[in-house]
Amino acid sequence: MRARFCGFVTGDADFLHATWDPAQRPARATLGEPGPRWCRLDVAHSHAEGGQGEVRFTALGRESGHFFTLSEASRFRFDAACAHWLYVDGDATWQRLDTGRNAPCPCGSGLKAKRCCARD
């Protein structure tokens, strides 16, 4: 999960495509331009049993001048042929955060939002 988050942060659509279960992935993974700026990932729970796994996480992002959170329960399967976990699908919830420019940044840096992730 952390590697896929880094793929979104860096805009590496090829990596995201390669780590998606072939039975579920689209013909080509694309990332919207300019897309959200990802600030933080918090993994709440992960569990693997046999070749199946689940990761529950919350990611903090910023897009169009607003912070948001993405909370998801993602399902993965282990592909023994390539010795990697592949993303299958997930149940996602998006929520907009109302943060003032003088409020602490939601990323947890301790700085005001306007001096941290909200600076444009």
Side-chain angles (χ1 to χ4, degrees), residues 19-24 49-54 74-89:
T19 58
W20 207 325
D21 184 348
Q24 304 293 330
E49 190 172 316
Q52 306 297 314
E54 180 181 275
S74 299
R75 287 172 285 284
F76 292 84
R77 74 168 183 83
F78 188 75
D79 186 340
C82 66
H84 291 287
W85 286 96
L86 300 175
Y87 175 78
V88 176
D89 62 11

Side-chain angles (χ1 to χ4, degrees), residues 5-90:
F5 178 76
C6 290
F8 279 102
V9 169
T10 61
D12 191 347
D14 291 334
F15 176 78
L16 294 171
H17 189 260
T19 58
W20 207 325
D21 184 348
Q24 304 293 330
R25 72 180 168 214
R28 192 74 199 132
T30 58
L31 299 172
E33 291 296 327
R37 185 172 59 158
W38 296 100
C39 304
R40 186 178 79 209
L41 172 68
D42 295 318
V43 176
H45 172 77
S46 63
H47 176 76
E49 190 172 316
Q52 306 297 314
E54 180 181 275
V55 177
R56 293 181 186 273
F57 71 90
T58 300
L60 173 72
R62 182 165 164 81
E63 186 172 39
S64 303
H66 300 285
F67 286 102
F68 65 89
T69 59
L70 163 63
S71 298
E72 182 171 315
S74 299
R75 287 172 285 284
F76 292 84
R77 74 168 183 83
F78 188 75
D79 186 340
C82 66
H84 291 287
W85 286 96
L86 300 175
Y87 175 78
V88 176
D89 62 11

